[in-house]
Amino acid sequence: MNEKQITKAYEMAKERYAALGVDTDKAIALLEKTPISLQCWQTDDVMGFENADALSGGIQTTGNYPGRARNIDEVRADLEFVKTLLGGTQRVNIHEIYGDFGGKHVDRNEVEPAHFKSWMEWGKENGFKLDFNSTSFSHPMSGDLSLANPDKKIREFWIEHTIRCRKVAEAMGKYQKDPCIMNIWVHDGSKDLTVERMRYREIFAESLDTILAEEMPHMKSCLEAKLFGIGLESYTVGSHDFVAGYCASRKLMYTLDTGHYEQTENISDMVSSLLLFVPELMLHTSRPVRWDSDHVVIMNDQTLDLFKELVRANALNRAHIGLDYFDASINRIGAYVIGTRATQKCLLQAFLEPLKTLRKYEDKGQYFQRLALLEEAKCLPFGAVYDYFNLKNGVPVGEEFIPEIEKYEKEVTSKR
Ligand code: RNT
Ligand code: ZN
């Protein structure tokens, strides 16, 4: 794409925004330093390196596009390539089942920081800070209940696993000199009418208290809420209300996944309600189509509203952003790039909102003016700002990444 044209378009956009009191250079600088954590599990359809035969826990990937990463080197190579197509800052979010187990069977209750040493070194070499996740699914002990299981043996197995995962995250945070965000999501629930709802939630809360008892200064834990999983439709132990109550009472970070609520719910409204009572938010951007289908993120109202709310609430520094989807039906590298860029576009639009004027209108009760400006803001030339951001970062502008991915597919992924 023509560098001159992009720069010229940017200069014009800059003036247009300046007239509304918005500084585009500042917005670009903010976008550059706002990290987006890439979910390692999009490379290989959430399989990991344990040779599990199927994905369980109420989540599902669909599609069998060729070229899935089959081992740790391929996962890393794909992530390194993805990074070459993205401006700004990325982190990498790793699930426990992606440990460097060196061909040995390391059970979930045996995992140690050493299994992630090569990941830490790789992260450092490639400019990725790491985040982490315990893994309760795709294991013979997963069943329908893990941390909420009344069976002491099963429950203790998963408590042990999750405590060990916190230690891995602690080691990562220490190594990278930046807190590692560790997400706890368990699938616990049941398919059909459940009469012991209170009991499982009590057990879950107790398990979490045990897991979180030890102070670990280099990591931050967060707990993810969910509406339901496949095969677990009638009851979810870690529902929104449970997680909101638990995180508020324990001062724990809440994980809000955009796929985990009723399809018609505008989850952006949760930002200000939650942030009054929980210290921070972990945001999983995803795209539910009729259910929590984990389609690739696109620039839609749900994601735009979420980030606008974050900025309007002055809470950008209290949120961590990660992608969470897994689409096996299209080129997986393409899935990363589309979803990360869409997340960036939503963030950028939030940074470019003429907020000063909007706040002033609202304060004065000038509601026609507020609505008018919100509508007009939708037509502001943010695309020119985004193009310039990519140009400035030395990565493909606009659709230029398509042939790059085609080339990588031809040379690398299609040969797997
Ligand atoms: C599942 C949750 C969870 C997972 C990952 C793989 O519904 O969103 O975050 O997607 O842990
Ligand atoms: Zn999630």
Side-chain angles (χ1 to χ4, degrees), residues 59-77:
I59 52 177
Q60 220 169 64
T61 51
T62 48
N64 50 6
Y65 197 84
R68 154 182 118 66
R70 296 158 302 179
N71 53 52
I72 204 161
D73 292 334
E74 291 180 353
V75 168
R76 288 175 184 165

Side-chain angles (χ1 to χ4, degrees), residues 262-392:
E262 297 287 358
Q263 290 277 289
T264 53
E265 206 168 355
N266 190 334
I267 58 153
S268 65
D269 191 40
M270 291 181 176
V271 168
S272 52
S273 302
L274 287 167
L275 277 177
L276 281 173
F277 307 105
V278 304
E280 288 182 293
L281 293 176
M282 173 73 220
L283 303 173
H284 278 183
T285 61
S286 191
R287 177 165 52 110
V289 177
R290 302 193 185 277
W291 64 286
D292 181 25
S293 57
D294 287 295
H295 279 63
V296 178
V297 172
I298 56 172
M299 193 187 84
N300 57 12
D301 284 349
Q302 235 198 21
T303 322
L304 277 166
D305 286 349
L306 179 65
F307 292 132
K308 282 184 187 164
E309 261 310 304
L310 208 58
V311 173
R312 291 173 187 173
N314 289 324
L316 189 67
N317 58 355
R318 291 174 65 199
H320 306 268
I321 300 162
L323 311 176
D324 185 17
Y325 52 82
F326 21 98
D327 190 334
S329 73
I330 58 173
N331 180 300
R332 292 170 186 78
I333 312 283
Y336 274 118
V337 177
I338 294 169
T340 314
R341 284 185 173 233
T343 302
Q344 288 178 332
K345 288 176 198 164
C346 293
L347 270 169
L348 181 62
Q349 289 195 65
F351 298 159
L352 291 171
E353 198 170 51
L355 203 47
K356 241 199 219 146
T357 315
L358 287 166
R359 288 202 214 275
K360 193 186 79 196
Y361 285 150
E362 190 163 301
D363 272 351
K364 294 194 173 152
Q366 294 174 303
Y367 298 146
F368 141 68
Q369 291 86 336
R370 179 184 61 186
L371 187 59
L373 186 54
L374 281 168
E375 273 304 286
E376 287 308 312
K378 291 178 182 167
C379 292
L380 290 173
F382 102 93
V385 182
Y386 189 61
D387 283 350
Y388 185 74
F389 159 83
N390 285 318
L391 180 75
K392 184 169 172 276

Side-chain angles (χ1 to χ4, degrees), residues 41 183 185 224 255 257 260 284 294 324:
W41 49 95
N183 189 45
W185 166 68
E224 183 168 6
T255 303
D257 181 311
H260 286 193
H284 278 183
D294 287 295
D324 185 17

